[in-house]
Amino acid sequence: MLFFKKNKDILLIFISVLLYFYFAYFLERTAFNKLLFLWFSLFGCAYFLIKSKTISTSTLTGLVILFRLIFLFASPNLSQDFYRFIWDGRMILEGLNPYLSLPETFIQQNLMPIAEASELYNGMGEMNGSHYTNYPPINQLCFLIAALLSSKSIFGATIVLRSIIILADVGILYFGKKLLKKLNLPVKNIFLYALNPFIIIEMTGNLHFEPVMLFFLIWSFYKLHQQKWIWAAILLACSISVKLIPLLFLPLFYQWFVNKKENFIKRHYQLIAFYAITLTTILVLFLPFYSSEFINNYANSVGLWFRNFEFNASFYYIFREIGYLFRGYNEIAIIGKITPVITILFLLIITFFRKNKTEKQLITALLFGLCFYYFTATTVHPWYLATPLILSIFTKYRFPVIWSLVIIFSYQAYANTPWQENLWFVTLEYLILYGFLFLELRKTSKIIKL
């Protein structure tokens, strides 16, 4: 017992390394019980490492990199999206526009436009291969880099993609610490993101590119804090050009600009210029891929998330059951169009009727605006939670940390062949999440009253 107390941190690090190694190289996603054990064990280790009073910030920073490097040579075991990433990158390398063609078309016609075309198509699956790509241009640039450095090896390409994601997380660590200091918040908050097993496994392990998007987003916030709003606009555009989700944030910058001490005309000029620079930069980044077919293909691909796909939803599943009850069939075609409108209305309400003057207030508004969208969305894949998680460390709310823990229940769907959701597990996930969110909101309201 005395040995454990003296060497607790070393033991936690050793256990974490073993568990991450097993997760990376031996776990099958259909083994749900093993997945749960590893997941909760890693979260327990991370909790005690972050809370430890004897472990330094520099050591925690070293662990951020060490735990990610464990996955460097592993093949993603919880997602197959990376096959499409490699396909898109190699298409660009061959001078082909990935937005204008379907992988299945080439395979059906027995055409092999890139190296390992059959292996990549089989890996991504028929559903992925039958839809146009929806990854924005800077994301495509990452895929192209992988193709440039490894044009004939899937294994080599995964190493390149993973290296980019690790570097992005290092950038988040750097700018996240600087921003936390500027906002007079505990620097250790950054490790709620950087040492979170969900982030390490879903992003580094399974090659989801949210860290690249978040790197530009946090850098943008830092520039905004420095009053360098032109650079902030360019960086925000880069973030949107990795993943489209930060587009939702644009209205919420309104009060940050117009409630400054400068004169009325100057404030609104800066706001309009901020939006103009952001949108222009996005258009310029998309320009190399533009053609008459591009807009239609891209819009259809993005629209699938509202019209066709269902996974790990919250209130949408309740609305769907009501639709079954009264209409006798799935109402996703109707509900999928209504929920984005409701989200936009909610964003407009918190834009004009909530104080978003300071960086803390602004980021809190971004957090709740995004979470409202996810609470009503038809599809909430686990990796979506990276954004609310990083936003939460700059606020007093921690419910996204709890969500990153219980999101693992959604993976029960993959324990079945073919995959099928067990709504009891989805219900458990959201009951825990909403219960914790309710307690946080109640606690906050009491503090405000006091």
Side-chain angles (χ1 to χ4, degrees):
M1 194 69 178
L2 184 62
F3 173 83
F4 176 76
K5 287 182 179 179
K6 286 184 176 180
N7 300 277
K8 182 183 68 173
D9 294 337
I10 296 174
L11 191 59
L12 287 170
I13 294 168
F14 180 71
I15 292 171
S16 296
V17 168
L18 289 179
L19 294 178
Y20 277 125
F21 187 82
Y22 185 88
F23 207 117
Y25 297 96
F26 297 101
L27 181 69
E28 297 287 338
R29 74 175 181 177
T30 53
F32 184 61
N33 291 334
K34 288 182 181 178
L35 180 62
L36 283 181
F37 171 77
L38 292 169
W39 189 267
F40 287 111
S41 298
L42 285 165
F43 263 88
C45 290
Y47 174 81
F48 288 112
L49 285 171
I50 295 170
K51 289 292 184 180
S52 175
K53 295 179 180 178
T54 59
I55 191 167
S56 67
T57 301
S58 59
T59 301
L60 290 176
T61 301
L63 294 178
V64 167
I65 299 171
L66 172 64
F67 292 160
R68 283 162 171 77
L69 289 177
I70 292 171
F71 287 84
L72 189 60
F73 304 110
S75 180
N77 54 11
L78 298 182
S79 174
Q80 58 198 48
D81 290 350
F82 70 99
Y83 290 106
R84 184 60 181 265
F85 303 164
I86 298 171
W87 176 286
D88 282 6
R90 291 183 183 178
M91 288 286 286
I92 299 172
L93 186 63
E94 295 295 331
L96 301 170
N97 190 335
Y99 296 103
L100 304 184
S101 60
L102 299 172
E104 74 168 7
T105 302
F106 290 105
I107 300 302
Q108 288 172 355
Q109 296 177 1
N110 201 29
L111 298 173
M112 304 299 159
I114 57 176
E116 301 179 302
S118 295
E119 293 90 334
L120 291 171
Y121 177 76
N122 292 333
M124 73 178 73
E126 291 184 11
M127 185 175 74
N128 194 320
S130 63
H131 296 122
Y132 292 102
T133 189
N134 63 353
Y135 304 108
I138 290 186
N139 213 350
Q140 295 287 352
L141 175 61
C142 297
F143 307 158
L144 175 59
I145 292 171
L148 284 167
L149 298 178
S150 182
S151 61
K152 299 185 185 302
S153 169
I154 293 174
F155 176 70
T158 60
I159 293 175
V160 177
L161 293 173
R162 186 166 285 124
S163 299
I164 294 171
I165 291 169
I166 292 173
L167 289 173
D169 268 335
V170 172
I172 290 171
L173 191 63
Y174 176 76
F175 284 110
K177 282 182 177 181
K178 290 172 77 72
L179 185 58
L180 285 166
K181 285 181 181 178
K182 294 291 185 182
L183 299 179
N184 297 314
L185 293 169
V187 173
K188 256 195 169 183
N189 282 6
I190 193 64
F191 296 107
L192 293 173
Y193 169 88
L195 274 179
N196 191 308
F198 156 73
I199 294 295
I200 295 169
I201 291 167
E202 276 294 351
M203 310 305 145
T204 304
N206 292 308
L207 298 182
H208 295 295
F209 273 77
E210 269 68 14
V212 179
M213 172 192 75
L214 296 176
F215 164 67
F216 287 115
L217 185 65
I218 300 304
W219 192 3
S220 175
F221 290 160
Y222 182 69
K223 288 299 179 184
L224 205 62
H225 179 82
Q226 294 180 315
Q227 303 295 320
K228 297 178 180 178
W229 55 269
I230 295 176
W231 275 110
I234 294 170
L235 291 167
L236 179 60
C238 291
S239 180
I240 294 167
S241 298
V242 180
K243 299 274 185 174
L244 295 180
I245 200 67
L247 275 172
L248 291 173
F249 299 156
L250 287 179
L252 296 169
F253 287 92
Y254 173 78
Q255 283 195 42
W256 191 91
F257 279 93
V258 302
N259 286 291
K260 299 299 177 185
K261 294 180 181 179
E262 294 90 349
N263 64 65
F264 179 86
I265 296 175
K266 183 178 180 180
R267 294 196 305 261
H268 284 78
Y269 161 76
Q270 289 180 345
L271 175 67
I272 294 169
F274 178 82
Y275 286 145
I277 292 169
T278 301
L279 296 175
T280 301
T281 304
I282 295 169
L283 291 174
V284 168
L285 290 170
F286 270 103
L287 200 57
F289 300 100
Y290 178 77
S291 78
S292 58
E293 302 171 59
F294 165 76
I295 295 176
N296 185 57
N297 291 350
Y298 197 75
N300 285 335
S301 182
V302 173
L304 289 171
W305 298 101
F306 303 101
R307 302 190 307 267
N308 294 68
F309 297 154
E310 302 173 329
F311 183 78
N312 192 41
S314 174
F315 286 102
Y316 163 72
Y317 280 163
I318 298 174
F319 302 149
R320 185 183 69 177
E321 292 305 312
I322 294 172
Y324 278 129
L325 184 64
F326 289 97
R327 304 264 290 185
Y329 53 84
N330 193 347
E331 297 282 4
I332 186 172
I334 297 174
I335 300 171
K337 293 177 181 177
I338 294 174
T339 51
V341 175
I342 296 173
T343 299
I344 292 170
L345 290 174
F346 180 79
L347 290 172
L348 291 175
I349 290 170
I350 61 176
T351 292
F352 296 108
F353 298 100
R354 184 189 182 280
K355 290 183 179 180
N356 304 320
K357 300 177 183 179
T358 68
E359 282 84 3
K360 289 181 185 178
Q361 291 173 336
L362 171 61
I363 295 174
T364 300
L366 300 180
L367 171 63
F368 279 93
L370 180 60
C371 286
F372 182 89
Y373 167 64
Y374 286 157
F375 293 160
T376 58
T378 63
T379 304
V380 183
H381 286 302
W383 52 93
Y384 292 4
L385 302 192
T387 308
L389 180 62
I390 192 69
L391 292 175
S392 72
I393 72 171
F394 302 101
T395 74
K396 56 193 169 187
Y397 296 99
R398 294 292 177 264
F399 68 91
V401 179
I402 298 300
W403 199 358
S404 71
L405 171 67
V406 298
I407 193 68
I408 193 61
F409 291 130
S410 68
Y411 270 106
Q412 192 279 335
Y414 298 107
N416 308 305
T417 305
W419 75 270
Q420 183 178 358
E421 283 188 287
N422 184 325
L423 294 185
W424 288 109
F425 280 97
V426 177
T427 302
L428 177 62
E429 172 195 341
Y430 284 106
L431 281 177
I432 295 171
L433 169 63
Y434 289 142
F436 192 86
L437 174 58
F438 173 77
L439 291 175
E440 282 205 306
L441 291 173
R442 186 178 178 185
K443 181 180 177 181
T444 304
S445 65
K446 284 183 178 180
I447 292 173
I448 293 172
K449 287 179 183 178
L450 292 173

